[in-house]
Amino acid sequence: MNRKASRVIPMLVLCFLVFLIGCSSNGDENTAQPSQSVATADGTSTPEPSASGKASVDTSQYSGTVKVLREWADIQPNKAMFDALAIAFMEEYPNVKIEYVTDGWAASLPTYVAANDSPDLVMTSSPNPRFLKDNLLEDLTPYIEKDGTIGKDNYVDAAYSKYIVGDKLYGLPWNVDPNFPLFHNKKILEQYGITEVPAIQTLEDLGDYLEQFWIVNNGKQEMTTFDPSSIWGTSTAFMTWSFLNGATPEDIYDPVSRKIGYNHPKIVETMEWMADFYQENIHATRMEELKKTLPADTDLFDANKMAVSYVYTQKMRDEMELHLTALPDESLWVGGYGFSMVSTGKNKEAAFQFLKWLTTSDAAARISYDILGVIPAKKTVPYLEELAQSDELLKLRLDILSKVKKYPPLTPVNLPETFEADFMAVLNGTSSEDPQAYLDNLNKIMQQQIDDYYRQ
């Protein structure tokens, strides 16, 4: 789950936000207004342009219930946001009802389909290979072409691209998660005579910058940065630094050829770099001893024992002088969720309208951000651009999204259960395998599992 999803907002504030958004959405320049249609020679109809020059839509022509199988359950403020989105859409499409289904989350899609109770849309992070194998996802290309008003240019490039498999489009991105700012403690930088953060474009650049802060005096750890092997978890760190070293999503897993590539030379080099950094700088006992010296309710960054962090806290923002930069361009990738149309859905035309509205309207973007802090996958959001003028972190996140080109590959099989333990053993030097041997073996295991999966 996106960690923003667990943020708590008092219910009174939520109610006010839903009310406010309902009012403000009526003034949204992208709010569709009913209009007359002009008949064309082939018998179809083309909406007349609105006063703003954009094609308007006769929203009354769509009707029925659109069932949406979504993630994030119904805890607050998740429910408040999704409810507000449904209400705003139904105000514009008066004959369509949005019905959310949360039991079982997205993984339960095959069960619903088998029970002849198919949803129309399913919340996805990218086209699930298992859903593709069972032909459960609809290619949106014909809908995009027929609609004629949206396409790749409406979205953050990588967020849109991750829904493409071959020549088909299996979903549209709704939100992104640009968790790639680095937070530098100005006090520590000044303490070590560093007046500016150097340009970081390679693994070597990153290592050189971080290592100068991994300082040991008299056998005790004096200063640190974040641990490169733990950034958002071991497997995610491995992917991030592999991207920085020049690997692509298709190098890790190509959904067209169905080939895994964990022993790609760029990926092997990455693990070798991670192992060298870990063994030269990180000592578990010294780190535990340092943490014991910290004041209560503080972490290493709060206590001025960490020069650079990728984790952001309100205390950092309120009480500390920070210098913000982004991770190197090549390491950037886009996460987040979107929605895919289910091939067995019964109300596809109305479902596409909701999907389009959810992912491209300024009203939906504002609701998502105001209630849950969700950054839309919509490429241009004037509302956020205005807020960013006085919000340095938001400005940096939007800048990151303008550069990101990569996305996590999704394989039909999971990493082995022992992956993290085995990976860390290679990093800290306690394994009998070196990075090349470990990744050769991992690649062999996963490729066999993938081949077996598609033979079933």
Side-chain angles (χ1 to χ4, degrees):
M1 183 188 298
N2 185 321
R3 60 176 171 271
K4 300 183 186 70
S6 61
R7 189 172 59 188
V8 177
I9 299 177
M11 284 305 299
L12 181 60
V13 176
L14 283 173
C15 294
F16 172 73
L17 282 171
V18 173
F19 171 77
L20 178 63
I21 292 160
C23 295
S24 64
S25 66
N26 292 331
D28 188 337
E29 68 173 4
N30 282 351
T31 299
Q33 299 295 332
S35 68
Q36 298 296 318
S37 296
V38 179
T40 60
D42 61 2
T44 61
S45 61
T46 303
E48 289 184 342
S50 66
S52 65
K54 298 181 180 179
S56 57
V57 177
D58 178 8
T59 60
S60 65
Q61 68 181 296
Y62 302 101
S63 62
T65 297
V66 174
K67 295 176 63 175
V68 182
L69 178 59
R70 64 170 177 81
E71 304 277 354
W72 297 7
D74 280 334
I75 60 174
Q76 298 291 4
N78 300 345
K79 186 178 186 303
M81 179 196 64
F82 281 116
D83 286 350
L85 289 167
I87 290 168
F89 174 78
M90 290 186 292
E91 287 177 350
E92 296 185 28
Y93 288 74
N95 298 325
V96 179
K97 177 184 177 183
I98 301 300
E99 178 183 313
Y100 293 119
V101 181
T102 58
D103 289 344
W105 294 24
S108 63
L109 176 60
T111 302
Y112 282 100
V113 172
N116 197 30
D117 188 23
S118 177
D120 300 288
L121 296 172
V122 59
M123 193 170 173
T124 52
S125 58
S126 59
N128 187 314
R130 294 176 179 270
F131 295 169
L132 292 179
K133 181 187 176 187
D134 295 335
N135 298 313
L136 295 180
L137 302 184
E138 184 94 350
D139 176 16
L140 294 180
T141 306
Y143 297 86
I144 297 287
E145 292 175 349
K146 178 182 176 182
D147 178 81
T149 66
I150 65 168
K152 184 174 183 178
D153 290 345
N154 293 92
Y155 304 95
V156 172
D157 289 345
Y160 184 90
S161 296
K162 69 178 181 174
Y163 279 98
I164 299 174
V165 178
D167 60 353
K168 296 183 178 181
L169 178 69
Y170 289 108
L172 291 175
W174 163 57
N175 79 317
V176 289
D177 204 5
N179 291 320
F180 298 97
L182 290 180
F183 307 102
H184 311 259
N185 187 324
K186 284 187 177 181
K187 179 179 179 178
I188 296 176
L189 266 59
E190 292 171 0
Q191 178 182 336
Y192 289 95
I194 299 172
T195 57
E196 62 179 86
V197 177
I200 299 173
Q201 296 300 332
T202 66
L203 283 174
E204 289 70 26
D205 292 342
L206 179 65
D208 290 344
Y209 178 63
L210 297 182
E211 282 181 338
Q212 65 186 318
F213 300 110
W214 281 85
I215 298 171
V216 178
N217 276 330
N218 298 319
K220 296 184 180 298
Q221 194 75 45
E222 179 178 287
M223 186 61 61
T224 68
T225 67
F226 65 88
D227 172 1
S229 66
S230 65
I231 188 168
W232 308 298
T234 304
S235 61
T236 305
F238 185 34
M239 178 186 70
T240 301
W241 306 136
S242 294
F243 285 163
L244 176 56
N245 199 39
T248 68
E250 291 76 18
D251 290 334
I252 298 173
Y253 178 68
D254 184 346
V256 177
S257 66
R258 298 173 181 171
K259 295 299 181 184
I260 202 80
Y262 275 110
N263 61 351
H264 187 283
K266 291 291 184 183
I267 299 175
V268 174
E269 289 175 3
T270 299
M271 190 166 188
E272 291 171 343
W273 175 85
M274 294 177 71
D276 289 344
F277 188 99
Y278 195 98
Q279 292 172 39
E280 291 172 11
N281 298 286
I282 301 173
H283 189 281
T285 301
R286 289 200 305 260
M287 290 299 294
E288 286 303 315
E289 290 176 349
L290 175 60
K291 291 176 182 178
K292 290 177 182 178
T293 68
L294 303 181
D297 301 321
T298 62
D299 60 20
L300 289 169
F301 200 96
D302 295 338
N304 293 305
K305 294 297 183 181
M306 178 181 285
V308 188
S309 177
Y310 68 92
V311 176
Y312 180 73
T313 66
Q314 194 62 41
K315 182 174 182 178
M316 289 165 59
R317 189 168 195 175
D318 292 342
E319 302 178 17
M320 306 182 76
E321 277 198 275
L322 303 176
H323 182 67
L324 277 59
T325 67
L327 284 173
D329 291 356
E330 284 301 312
S331 68
L332 303 177
W333 52 267
V334 65
Y337 284 90
F339 289 83
S340 299
M341 188 182 294
V342 182
S343 61
T344 53
K346 298 177 176 62
N347 199 354
K348 294 180 181 178
E349 293 297 332
F352 178 77
Q353 290 301 310
F354 180 58
L355 179 55
K356 172 185 169 181
W357 179 90
L358 183 65
T359 61
T360 64
S361 75
D362 287 344
R366 181 165 183 164
I367 291 170
S368 301
Y369 184 79
D370 280 351
I371 297 183
L372 203 59
V374 166
I375 304 290
K378 188 174 183 285
K379 184 176 288 186
T380 302
V381 184
Y383 175 62
L384 294 189
E385 292 172 356
E386 182 178 350
L387 292 179
Q389 294 177 15
S390 57
D391 187 331
E392 183 182 7
L393 181 56
L394 178 58
K395 181 178 180 180
L396 178 60
R397 284 175 167 159
L398 296 182
D399 181 60
I400 289 170
L401 289 175
S402 71
K403 299 175 181 178
V404 63
K405 297 181 177 63
K406 298 175 182 177
Y407 49 87
L410 187 61
T411 65
V413 299
N414 296 324
L415 286 165
E417 290 184 3
T418 61
F419 169 81
E420 185 167 352
D422 293 344
F423 188 92
M424 290 306 302
V426 176
L427 290 195
N428 63 33
T430 60
S431 172
S432 60
E433 296 180 309
D434 62 13
Q436 180 73 66
Y438 169 74
L439 292 174
D440 281 343
N441 189 46
L442 176 64
N443 207 76
K444 181 179 179 180
I445 291 171
M446 291 198 67
Q447 189 63 61
Q448 185 63 56
Q449 291 177 345
I450 290 170
D451 292 344
D452 291 345
Y453 173 77
Y454 282 108
R455 275 197 292 265
Q456 293 173 3

